[in-house]
């Protein structure tokens, strides 16, 4: 089950059913099933608080993923700062909704075992994000044809 919640911000305009199907499809490409994945959308101050309390980091970030995986089933909590997502989208000249979907799937990719901190890992993560976003576009096109 995938849940979407907020703390101190309005729920972003995402299609929950579509997003859930997409997340499950992406996980399946890594031979993973989705167990319990909880999204919490927050603002910058809340994600800074979470970053300090749980990771000992004193900076803002767009996403924090807590991994509770069990075997081939992904489980975790994913905290996303909508403020930082918006700031990043503006700074990169990207559409906010596109950047939000990139961050949403970024957490799932972490749960599927992809890292982005070591040498060459960032490029692997970006390629995986691009493949996942292409899958979302394909799913949307298929739905539009129905």
């Amino acid at each position: 089950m995938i849940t979407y919640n907020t703390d101190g911000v309005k729920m972003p305009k995402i299609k929950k059913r579509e997003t859930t199907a997409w997340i499950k499809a992406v996980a399946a490409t890594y031979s993973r099933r989705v167990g319990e994945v909880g999204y919490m959308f927050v603002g910058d101050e809340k994600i800074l608080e979470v970053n300090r309390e749980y990771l000992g980091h004193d900076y803002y970030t767009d996403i924090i993923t807590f991994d509770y995986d069990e075997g081939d089933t992904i489980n975790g909590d994913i905290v996303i700062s909508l403020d930082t997502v918006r700031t990043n989208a503006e700074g990169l000249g990207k559409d906010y909704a596109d950047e939000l979907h990139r961050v949403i799937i970024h957490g799932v990719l972490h749960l599927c075992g992809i890292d982005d901190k070591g040498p060459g890992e960032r490029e692997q993560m970006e390629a995986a994000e691009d493949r996942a976003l292409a899958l979302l576009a394909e799913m949307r096109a298929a739905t539009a044809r129905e």
Side-chain angles (χ1 to χ4, degrees):
M1 172 189 268
I2 301 173
T3 58
Y4 305 91
N5 296 289
T6 63
D7 183 349
V9 297
K10 282 180 59 178
M11 181 63 71
K13 293 179 181 172
I14 57 171
K15 295 177 181 174
K16 293 178 188 171
R17 224 176 259 136
E18 174 191 79
T19 301
T20 295
W22 173 51
I23 289 167
K24 289 179 178 180
V26 169
T29 66
Y30 293 93
S31 301
R32 301 291 183 100
R33 292 177 300 132
V34 174
E36 300 287 329
V37 176
Y39 282 90
M40 179 64 68
F41 298 103
V42 301
D44 272 351
E45 292 312 311
K46 183 65 177 179
I47 207 158
L48 178 60
E49 178 184 316
V50 171
N51 216 2
R52 286 175 175 158
E53 182 174 344
Y54 294 98
L55 302 176
H57 299 159
D58 191 23
Y59 54 81
Y60 297 99
T61 186
D62 52 356
I63 184 170
I64 299 173
T65 304
F66 296 96
D67 186 340
Y68 314 128
D69 286 358
E70 297 174 7
D72 67 349
T73 301
I74 64 170
N75 296 285
D77 289 319
I78 299 172
V79 184
I80 295 175
S81 170
L82 297 179
D83 295 334
T84 300
V85 169
R86 186 171 305 285
T87 300
N88 289 348
E90 290 169 359
L92 296 168
K94 295 191 176 188
D95 179 74
Y96 170 74
D98 292 343
E99 182 66 7
L100 179 58
H101 282 89
R102 184 193 65 76
V103 174
I104 286 170
I105 211 62
H106 182 92
V108 170
L109 293 169
H110 274 307
L111 297 177
C112 288
I114 300 174
D115 291 320
D116 59 358
K117 300 290 186 215
E121 291 179 342
R122 181 74 217 146
E123 294 78 9
Q124 290 175 348
M125 175 62 83
E126 288 174 359
E129 290 169 354
D130 290 346
R131 286 190 302 275
L133 291 168
L135 177 59
L136 177 59
E138 290 170 22
M139 291 172 69
R140 286 176 170 167
T143 301
R145 288 192 299 269
E146 292 177 357

